[in-house]
Amino acid sequence: MNSSPLINDLIEAFRCLPGVGPKSAQRMTLYLLGRNRSGGLKLSESLSSALEEVGNCEQCRTFTEENICRICSSNSRDRKICCVVESPVDIFAIEQSATFSGVYYVLMGRLSPIDGIGPEQLGIDNLMKKVEVENIEELIIACNPTVEGEATAYYIAEQFKNSQVSVSRIAHGVPVGGELEFVDGGTLGHAFSGRKIIENTQSHESD
Amino acid sequence: MNSSPLINDLIEAFRCLPGVGPKSAQRMTLYLLGRNRSGGLKLSESLSSALEEVGNCEQCRTFTEENICRICSSNSRDRKICCVVESPVDIFAIEQSATFSGVYYVLMGRLSPIDGIGPEQLGIDNLMKKVEVENIEELIIACNPTVEGEATAYYIAEQFKNSQVSVSRIAHGVPVGGELEFVDGGTLGHAFSGRKIIENTQSHESD
C-alpha cells in the first residue's frame, strides 16, 4: 500500500498504542515526518530512556526510575496511612486532588482469574508484610468501583480480618457537581446505602 | 503531579502527536511502561530510524528513504499521466483503491497565505518543469475539495493554461453507497453540475 518500508514499520509501531487504529497511526506518522520532526525525535528519546530506566518502587510498586519513589522517600508523608490503588494513574489522580497525605501501594492490576491475575500478581503478600513491618494503622482501599475492583477490595479486606489494621473503602456516590437525573442506578444505590446523618449544631457542640 | 521526571517527560512528549491530549498521553505512557515494553521499544526505534532516513522523493516529493520513491522508479507506471495530491496520505488512499496507474506529484500542503504557504512552498515551479521535461500528457488534480484545495487546484490549472498538457480535476459528487438525504448541499450541488448523460445501447454501439 505504501512504497516505503520504514514508513510502514512506523505506522505499524504506532498501532501498539491504546486507542490508535490504522488511520490514526498513519496520521501520526505523516504528521511527525512532515511537520514536527523535532517533536518526533524528542518522543523517540523520551520513550527509549523511560523504557530503559523506569522500574518499580521497592516499597509501593509504582513506576519510578529510582529504587524508592519520591512519595515513599518523602519526609512529609504520613506512613501510618496507606492507600491501595490499582494503577500508578490512580496515584496521579489522587495526588492532583491533594486530599491524601499518606503513602500508596500499587496492585498493578486487579483480581482477574480469566487473565491469570491472582493475589501473587498483585503482590498482596508484600502488602501484608508491609502493613506488619511498618506498623500501618489504616489501609484505605481505592480500587475502581468495577466488578473486579470490588472483588479485589473484598479479597484484601478479608486478608486483614484478624489484623490490627483498620481497613476502609473510599466512598462511592453521586459525584460533586453531578446531577441526579444523569447518575446511573448503581451509583445512586451506593449513594443511598452510604448516606450520612446530617449532624445538627448541638451534636457538634457535644463532640 | 507525578514523582518521576522521566515519566513526566514521556507524557509531555506524547502530546506532540495529533489528537493526543494530557489524558491520552498519560494512558499511552502507563500502558507502554506497564504492559507493552517491547512495543514501546519498537516504536522508539522505528521512529528514530524513520526520522533519520526518510526524506522526500526527488521526482514526486513524497516521503521515502530512497532518492526516488518506488512509484516513481517503477517500470509498470504510466509516466504520461500525473496525479497532483496535497499529501502522501492521499497517495496511500488512491493506491489502496487501485484506480490509478500513473505517477504522482505531492504538493505537501495547499495554498494558504495566512500560514505563509505560497506556490514556492508547494513546488509548483518544479511541477511545471516536470510536465515539460517528462512530456506529461495529463495532469489530474486531486486536491481535497476544501476552500484552500479548490483555490490550489484553480491556481495550478491557471499555470498550465497555455501549455499542451490536459488538466483535469477528479469528480465530486454523492459517494458510492451514500444516501441523498445524508449528503450535504455543497456535494449535491457538485453532483448535479457534474451530471452525465446516461448513454443508451444504441449510442454504445455507435462508439
Side-chain angles (χ1 to χ4, degrees):
Chain A
M1 144 186 148
N2 171 18
S3 53
S4 157
L6 281 181
I7 294 180
N8 284 345
D9 282 356
L10 183 52
I11 293 173
E12 203 45 52
F14 267 122
R15 293 196 54 190
C16 80
L17 295 174
V20 175
K23 286 275 172 189
S24 305
Q26 209 180 61
R27 190 167 149 233
M28 288 172 172
T29 300
L30 293 171
Y31 169 79
L32 289 185
L33 286 172
R35 294 200 230 157
N36 196 351
R37 292 203 169 212
S38 62
L41 210 62
K42 177 92 184 45
L43 174 58
S44 162
E45 286 162 5
S46 297
L47 193 50
S48 90
S49 58
L51 288 169
E52 204 168 294
E53 294 176 35
V54 171
N56 296 92
C57 170
E58 286 171 7
Q59 294 197 358
C60 74
R61 311 207 325 160
T62 192
F63 291 130
T64 177
E65 61 261 39
E66 289 146 55
N67 289 332
I68 294 172
C69 76
R70 292 195 182 183
I71 293 176
C72 288
S73 58
S74 160
N75 287 323
S76 59
R77 313 288 303 205
D78 181 354
R79 276 154 214 293
K80 297 290 164 214
I81 307 180
C82 177
C83 177
V84 179
V85 293
E86 287 180 17
S87 130
V89 76
D90 303 324
I91 298 188
F92 294 180
I94 297 172
E95 287 296 295
Q96 267 183 311
S97 74
T99 44
F100 179 70
S101 62
V103 292
Y104 294 93
Y105 190 80
V106 185
L107 301 172
M108 289 287 176
R110 48 195 142 187
L111 287 181
S112 178
I114 288 180
D115 305 316
I117 301 178
E120 310 88 62
Q121 281 73 34
L122 302 183
I124 291 180
D125 289 3
N126 279 335
L127 175 61
M128 293 181 74
K129 262 184 228 148
K130 183 184 166 85
V131 166
E132 202 176 322
V133 172
E134 298 179 20
N135 271 319
I136 287 169
E137 289 167 5
E138 186 175 357
L139 209 58
I140 302 176
I141 303 182
C143 292
N144 289 318
T146 55
V147 176
E148 293 99 337
E150 292 291 347
T152 311
Y154 183 78
Y155 180 87
I156 296 173
E158 276 292 296
Q159 306 308 302
F160 290 97
K161 221 169 165 180
N162 302 321
S163 152
Q164 290 290 316
V165 70
S166 134
V167 179
S168 62
R169 180 103 175 82
I170 56 166
H172 296 134
V174 180
V176 176
E179 291 188 44
L180 288 192
E181 65 171 314
F182 301 119
V183 169
D184 65 293
T187 303
L188 271 182
H190 273 292
F192 272 86
S193 65
R195 68 190 180 279
K196 280 186 183 168
I197 304 281
I198 300 174
E199 291 171 17
N200 60 26
T201 329
Q202 259 186 327
S203 69
H204 257 297
E205 279 168 350
S206 69
D207 279 352
Chain B
M1 141 184 151
N2 171 18
S3 54
S4 158
L6 281 181
I7 295 180
N8 283 345
D9 282 357
L10 183 53
I11 293 174
E12 202 45 51
F14 267 122
R15 293 195 55 193
C16 80
L17 295 174
V20 175
K23 286 275 172 191
S24 306
Q26 207 179 63
R27 191 166 149 233
M28 288 171 172
T29 300
L30 293 171
Y31 169 79
L32 290 185
L33 285 172
R35 294 200 231 157
N36 196 350
R37 292 203 170 214
S38 63
L41 209 62
K42 176 92 184 48
L43 174 57
S44 162
E45 285 162 5
S46 297
L47 193 50
S48 89
S49 59
L51 287 169
E52 204 169 294
E53 293 175 35
V54 171
N56 297 92
C57 170
E58 285 171 8
Q59 293 197 357
C60 74
R61 313 209 323 162
T62 193
F63 292 130
T64 178
E65 62 262 39
E66 289 147 52
N67 289 333
I68 293 173
C69 76
R70 293 195 181 184
I71 293 176
C72 288
S73 58
S74 159
N75 287 323
S76 59
R77 312 289 303 205
D78 181 353
R79 276 155 213 292
K80 297 289 165 214
I81 307 182
C82 176
C83 177
V84 179
V85 294
E86 288 180 16
S87 130
V89 76
D90 303 324
I91 297 188
F92 295 0
I94 298 171
E95 288 296 295
Q96 267 184 310
S97 74
T99 46
F100 179 69
S101 62
V103 291
Y104 293 94
Y105 190 81
V106 185
L107 300 173
M108 290 286 177
R110 47 193 140 186
L111 286 181
S112 177
I114 287 179
D115 305 315
I117 301 178
E120 310 88 61
Q121 281 73 34
L122 303 183
I124 291 180
D125 288 3
N126 279 336
L127 175 61
M128 293 180 73
K129 261 183 230 150
K130 182 184 165 87
V131 166
E132 202 176 322
V133 173
E134 298 179 20
N135 271 320
I136 287 169
E137 288 167 6
E138 186 176 357
L139 209 58
I140 302 176
I141 303 181
C143 293
N144 288 317
T146 55
V147 175
E148 295 98 337
E150 292 290 349
T152 310
Y154 183 77
Y155 180 85
I156 296 173
E158 275 292 298
Q159 306 308 303
F160 290 97
K161 222 170 166 182
N162 303 319
S163 152
Q164 290 290 317
V165 69
S166 133
V167 180
S168 62
R169 179 105 176 82
I170 58 167
H172 298 134
V174 180
V176 176
E179 292 188 44
L180 286 193
E181 64 172 313
F182 301 118
V183 169
D184 65 293
T187 303
L188 272 182
H190 273 293
F192 272 85
S193 65
R195 69 191 179 278
K196 279 188 183 167
I197 305 282
I198 301 172
E199 289 171 21
N200 60 27
T201 329
Q202 260 188 326
S203 70
H204 258 298
E205 280 168 352
S206 69
D207 280 351

